[in-house]
Amino acid sequence: MLHRREPLNTRPQRNPEFSLIDRIARHAGQRDGVALGIGDDAALLDPELFDGQQMVICTDTMVEGIHFLNDTAPRTLGHKSLAVNLSDLAAMGAEPLAATLSLTLPEADARWTEQFMGGWQALAEQHNLQLVGGDTTRGPLCIAVTAIGRVPPSQALLRQSAQAGDLILVTGTLGDAALALSRRLDGRSMDTELARRLDQPEPRVAFACRSRGSIRACIDVSDGLVADLNHLLAASQCGASIRVDELPLSEWLECLPDPQQACDLALTGGDDYELCLSCAPEEVAAVRQVAEALSLRLSCIGTVESEPGLRLLDVDGQPYHPHRGAYEHF
Ligand code: ADP
Ligand code: MG
């Protein structure tokens, strides 16, 4: 047995990592059902948090220079790193509950962290989500978020459930984030609302949770409509025809001098975080009603078919060929 002559110093060390975690913890939020949040070796979530539902869990990583431009405002990154995960939960029809945040930072920058957490917290509060843990390390800027949600048993929206004859719908407008990115890369000024479409996507959580009973299959549009709809169709072993003149375009895209450019941005532009879903024709009215109640645009763009492949058709029903490819991760 070791005899201690002096009392142990039980105060936590104030090294830069710990003061950053303290700073993060002040913005963590709080909700029922979290028995233990930030501070121990792991978080504890009560069964009540899930209310007898299935747990839904997803992760998304954002790397500087790959997923966002160098010098992106920290507030934007705080919002977006959480938003992209909430969009994945929405695509499953799930309600967000909690998240963890793994931050790799070039230096322990208090100002950066404060602004990052400002963006995070504003979105987390909207969804009653608590930050329950994470990790903080030094290295090239990288943000990895894991989000946890719940969905009533067997009500999750899957990619694999589309059926021939379903209608294909999308929320919001497509291609705005890609337009905003190209303007930023060109160093052009732009409308703040257009910049928000890239920097502050609004995950369609409320829409998905309220309409899940009427939706057959769902995916969020993160890599561009063509790429993501193809994932849904492949998982469902179906094909589809899309009418490109039905694609929902914002005023910014409508105003482009080249209508083909607008169309191609809507088909292949990434980072929109809208939802693309299929539903039986008799369910469309119910889904529309939910969208209307939320003042959310909802457009029917095509039909699921048994023949594999995605057919893009112009206003005359002729094949349409986009000029730019989808975003690829590698
Ligand atoms: P350990 O060494 O046991 O992993 P850490 O010192 O990394 O512990 O973390 C201490 C506490 O702070 C843990 O509860 C952890 O979940 C939390 N934490 C660390 N970094 C973050 C972060 N970036 N965001 C949220 N919580 C964090
Ligand atoms: Mg750790």
Side-chain angles (χ1 to χ4, degrees):
M1 171 107 188
L2 186 77
H3 293 275
R4 290 195 194 104
R5 300 217 174 87
E6 287 176 62
L8 267 181
N9 182 3
T10 52
R11 276 172 59 100
Q13 285 173 281
R14 293 296 89 185
N15 72 23
E17 178 195 338
F18 286 114
S19 63
L20 271 197
I21 297 173
D22 284 349
R23 199 172 281 281
I24 290 167
R26 288 202 283 274
H27 298 277
Q30 214 178 1
R31 65 161 295 151
D32 291 348
V34 176
L36 189 63
I38 293 172
D40 213 306
D41 293 314
L44 291 174
L45 308 181
D46 287 328
E48 290 74 50
L49 183 62
F50 300 98
D51 195 26
Q53 302 184 24
Q54 285 182 302
M55 186 202 290
V56 186
I57 184 161
C58 63
T59 296
D60 233 311
T61 302
M62 294 182 15
V63 179
E64 184 174 51
I66 307 281
H67 301 98
F68 57 91
L69 301 175
N70 297 32
D71 302 320
T72 300
R75 194 180 167 86
T76 294
L77 296 175
H79 175 100
K80 198 162 174 178
S81 62
L82 179 57
V84 300
N85 279 278
L86 298 189
S87 180
D88 280 329
L89 290 183
M92 299 297 288
E95 175 192 354
L97 301 167
T100 64
L101 166 63
S102 182
L103 271 182
T104 307
L105 302 176
E107 55 186 325
D109 184 338
R111 225 174 94 87
W112 188 97
T113 304
E114 197 63 41
Q115 291 173 1
F116 176 93
M117 288 309 298
W120 171 288
Q121 191 178 15
L123 182 62
E125 272 175 6
Q126 280 178 36
H127 293 277
N128 191 22
L129 172 139
Q130 183 172 337
L131 176 61
V132 297
D135 200 17
T136 306
T137 49
R138 186 188 286 262
L141 182 58
C142 173
I143 304 152
V145 173
T146 297
I148 297 167
R150 66 183 176 196
V151 70
S154 69
Q155 287 186 35
L157 302 176
L158 309 182
R159 298 178 178 187
Q160 64 183 38
S161 313
Q163 292 178 19
D166 284 358
L167 297 178
I168 299 170
L169 299 104
V170 286
T171 61
T173 54
L174 297 175
D176 301 331
L179 178 65
L181 178 62
S182 76
R183 296 226 162 134
R184 191 166 286 162
L185 287 170
D186 291 346
R188 290 174 58 187
S189 66
M190 70 181 123
D191 199 281
T192 49
E193 282 304 306
L194 177 57
R196 274 175 64 105
R197 295 284 295 152
L198 174 65
D199 295 334
Q200 277 177 258
E202 282 179 58
R204 303 305 184 190
V205 171
F207 168 78
C209 288
R210 291 199 219 166
S211 57
R212 68 166 95 85
S214 308
I215 295 176
R216 197 114 70 184
C218 188
I219 191 167
D220 70 324
V221 183
S222 52
D223 297 339
L225 177 70
V226 167
D228 291 315
L229 179 54
N230 265 318
H231 293 316
L232 182 147
L233 295 171
S236 298
Q237 296 180 297
C238 290
S241 289
I242 293 295
R243 281 275 302 270
V244 295
D245 56 304
E246 303 286 356
L247 291 171
L249 304 184
S250 65
E251 280 177 29
W252 302 294
L253 264 77
E254 297 271 18
C255 287
L256 291 175
D258 176 6
Q260 166 129 30
Q261 187 199 357
C263 202
D264 291 355
L265 284 168
L267 285 170
T268 61
D271 257 6
D272 281 321
Y273 302 102
E274 296 295 346
L275 295 178
C276 175
L277 44 120
S278 94
C279 68
E282 61 272 21
E283 297 290 345
V284 171
V287 180
R288 277 202 190 289
Q289 212 169 25
V290 174
E292 238 161 72
L294 294 166
S295 304
L296 178 63
R297 190 162 160 182
L298 183 71
S299 310
C300 182
I301 58 168
T303 315
V304 178
E305 296 164 346
S306 53
E307 190 191 336
L310 178 57
R311 289 161 286 283
L312 305 176
L313 305 175
D314 68 16
V315 66
D316 302 316
Q318 296 303 308
Y320 177 89
H321 302 286
H323 286 174
R324 56 198 297 277
Y327 178 75
E328 283 174 17
H329 292 270
F330 291 98

